[in-house]
Amino acid sequence: MRVESPDYRELIGALFADEFADGAVDLEALRSIHAGEFGTWLSALDRSGLFDKEALTTVADQWRRDPMLLLDALLADADDVTRRRWLMAWSSLDRPEPLGQIG
């Protein structure tokens, strides 16, 4: 029998909902998520007191496997325009830079 990891997306989305209230894309935050740098986000979850160490480990493992899970949770309550704006910025990070910009 396979046991699924708990899904904390809704709770995480609720905790960070105000981060996306203005709809502007914070490129530094997006780059850090895309690069798998979750320390700030995990620290905030830990400080909230809603997650025990096991839950934090589970969340960190899920995000390492798929950083888009954090972005999805963060955008859970975002309006369509904000969601599209962030997803477009995310997809631009997935594309390699043109050769002329390397160096």
Side-chain angles (χ1 to χ4, degrees):
M1 174 185 233
R2 185 172 175 227
V3 177
E4 293 292 321
S5 295
D7 184 359
Y8 300 107
R9 216 174 341 191
E10 287 183 24
L11 184 54
I12 292 168
L15 284 171
F16 295 125
D18 62 334
E19 296 283 326
F20 298 87
D22 66 1
V25 176
D26 180 342
L27 288 176
E28 289 307 311
L30 192 64
R31 283 187 185 111
S32 71
I33 295 168
H34 192 267
E37 299 166 1
F38 309 117
T40 302
W41 302 99
L42 291 168
S43 292
L45 293 181
D46 189 28
R47 284 190 312 272
S48 76
L50 297 172
F51 297 86
D52 63 14
K53 295 298 178 193
E54 185 178 330
L56 289 171
T57 299
T58 298
V59 168
D61 290 345
Q62 290 172 346
W63 291 350
R64 279 187 204 96
R65 281 192 303 275
D66 185 2
M68 188 75 163
L69 291 174
L70 173 54
L71 183 63
D72 287 341
L74 296 173
L75 295 174
D77 292 329
D79 61 80
D80 287 341
V81 172
T82 299
R83 176 176 289 286
R84 280 190 222 120
R85 190 176 294 139
W86 278 80
L87 292 176
M88 284 176 32
W90 180 273
S91 67
S92 72
L93 295 174
D94 285 336
R95 285 178 269 172
E97 294 196 34
L99 292 176
Q101 301 216 352
I102 296 176

